[in-house]
Amino acid sequence: MLDTIRWTESGVIMLDQTALPREVRFVTCATYVEVADAIKTMIIRGAPAIGVAAAMGVALGMLKAPADGVDAYFDTVCRTLAATRPTAVNLFWAIDRMKRLYYEKVHRRSIKEVQTTLVNEALQVYLEDIAINKAIGRHGASLVPDGKTVLTHCNAGALATAGYGTALGVIRAAVASGKKIDVFADETRPFLQGARLTVWELQQDGIRTTLITDNMAGHFLHSGRIGCVVVGADRIAANGDVANKVGTYSVAVLAKENNVPFYVAAPISTLDLTLASGDQIPIEQRPATEVTEVFGVRVAPDGTDVQNPAFDITPARYVAGIITEKGVARPPYEESLPALSSPRPQPSESAGR
Ligand code: MRU
């Protein structure tokens, strides 16, 4: 697989996901403002990849920090990156991680030390993400029924992360464990992450993938062919409600109706346990032209009223399990999610209790 995102001397290099699969081209972001634009315009996308891009964006920004007013400049960098996309909590998680490091570890130290520390942290976020996805894959592989088809929605693959993927990581790990499975990819209107990105990505790995339009999901879920559904997430509330690409909710309801298990694969950094339920998750509204046009060609009459929420909320009751790097959370999620996400006690802490 090609790198989704890479830190280099000349800036942050991203595989341009707006051009795939027609063209494999890379964009170099030389400033934090360019990183913010790349997130907004979806050159890079997918919750974990957005988090990695934000961490790199903060580090990149600080390479050009002024001699005076460093704190104010740092806050501007963080605010600019935070104002890009509202739903994926990994964005805010990554910026908070950089903020904590800045204010708690290197505040008022030499600018050189600040820069080196923030760059190393961004690289650490990148490397951790790949390791986390492989762990998600290991935990999820056993849930995938052998000899069946996995249905997925949007792209929760290597392209949506630093590498390997969450939902597609589970599929990769299941294939690596010897399971004979294939994949159905919803095309995922209106941005077509399924058709353009998931199919392309799985083709690179030689995993057999069939493209279906979103409105065919019910037909195939009823057919008996689909062994399970695995999708990613942009934010998961404390009660297990899941925000993911719009259309996920419909797939989850259809899966339950047809007794097909519906799994969500996501890192712990996608949990937002400060929110009691999915109702509190902000949903990004995207431009109307994404709906009225297909690749720049207008398909709806002039003057059409449009709604374009980029995400929807799947209530926890439809979710059979949430696959994280620390294991699989099962209902009731109010109990299983905090248990998984809290740091495990060190042997010395638990000794004698
Ligand atoms: O709008 P996008 O393409 O950023 O939406 C991406 C998704 O909804 C993914 O399923 C989610 O971010 C998980 S990616 C591992």
Side-chain angles (χ1 to χ4, degrees):
M1 250 322 270
L2 298 166
D3 282 335
T4 307
I5 182 165
R6 206 152 30 99
W7 177 271
T8 71
E9 295 274 292
S10 44
V12 179
I13 300 186
M14 299 174 187
L15 178 56
D16 184 350
Q17 299 193 32
T18 63
L20 284 173
R22 288 164 292 125
E23 195 188 338
V24 174
R25 74 171 179 229
F26 292 87
V27 169
T28 302
C29 299
T31 66
Y32 78 90
V33 174
E34 286 174 10
V35 172
D37 282 345
I39 296 172
K40 222 183 266 175
T41 57
M42 293 172 70
I43 284 170
I44 191 154
R45 38 130 323 263
I50 290 171
V52 174
M56 289 188 179
V58 173
L60 188 65
M62 290 312 280
L63 292 185
K64 297 203 173 128
D68 290 324
V70 180
D71 284 358
Y73 174 81
F74 178 77
D75 291 344
T76 303
V77 171
C78 292
R79 255 203 322 276
T80 306
L81 288 158
T84 49
R85 297 191 72 193
T87 305
V89 77
N90 306 62
L91 173 74
F92 309 102
W93 167 87
I95 294 170
D96 283 349
R97 180 166 162 167
M98 300 300 273
K99 272 189 189 163
R100 264 199 315 277
L101 192 67
Y102 177 74
Y103 283 111
E104 291 171 17
K105 293 266 161 60
V106 290
H107 197 220
R108 307 232 161 98
R109 300 273 182 84
S110 76
I111 192 64
K112 191 82 214 129
E113 194 177 341
V114 169
Q115 290 167 339
T116 309
T117 305
L118 293 181
V119 169
N120 286 341
E121 188 72 358
L123 292 174
Q124 190 58 28
V125 170
Y126 170 90
L127 291 173
E128 278 174 17
D129 188 58
I130 300 174
I132 284 168
N133 294 332
K134 293 202 167 151
I136 290 173
R138 281 195 298 278
H139 288 299
S142 61
L143 301 174
V144 176
D146 201 1
K148 304 281 273 187
T149 298
V150 180
L151 175 66
T152 191
H153 188 73
C154 193
N155 172 267
L159 290 169
T161 62
Y164 201 71
T166 56
L168 299 195
V170 170
I171 290 167
R172 287 194 164 95
V175 170
S177 75
K179 288 189 173 167
K180 301 274 174 280
I181 56 168
D182 69 330
V183 176
F184 269 29
D186 285 348
E187 69 174 352
T188 318
R189 273 283 286 156
F191 210 70
L192 302 179
Q193 289 94 330
R196 297 189 303 105
L197 306 177
T198 294
V199 174
W200 181 83
E201 178 178 329
L202 291 177
Q203 277 176 353
Q204 311 294 303
D205 272 13
I207 296 174
R208 194 153 62 87
T209 306
T210 303
L211 175 64
I212 60 170
T213 63
D214 299 343
N215 50 356
M216 294 174 189
H219 172 79
F220 286 109
L221 281 162
H222 184 70
S223 74
R225 172 175 185 159
I226 311 288
C228 69
V229 179
V230 189
V231 298
D234 284 79
R235 202 186 284 227
I236 301 172
N239 69 345
D241 288 353
V242 173
N244 192 48
K245 181 52 53 193
V246 70
T248 302
Y249 173 36
S250 325
V251 175
V253 174
L254 288 162
K256 188 158 187 124
E257 166 71 16
N258 291 286
N259 295 316
V260 176
F262 177 92
Y263 297 111
V264 173
I268 295 290
S269 56
T270 301
L271 303 182
D272 186 351
L273 303 186
T274 67
L275 303 185
S277 81
D279 295 342
Q280 294 164 275
I281 299 177
I283 301 290
E284 177 185 8
Q285 304 295 321
R286 303 244 353 139
T289 48
E290 287 181 359
V291 179
T292 55
E293 296 178 2
V294 177
F295 295 116
V297 177
R298 218 181 152 83
V299 293
D302 285 342
T304 303
D305 288 334
V306 172
Q307 292 282 328
N308 187 13
F311 301 96
D312 61 22
I313 305 294
T314 298
R317 64 180 176 280
Y318 295 107
V319 181
I322 297 176
I323 308 162
T324 76
E325 68 272 30
K326 296 211 181 150
V328 181
R330 299 281 191 175
Y333 293 112
E334 286 88 347
E335 289 167 22
S336 59
L337 291 178
L340 268 190
S341 64
S342 58
R344 299 237 163 86
Q346 297 304 304
S348 57
E349 282 178 50
S350 55
R353 280 190 202 156

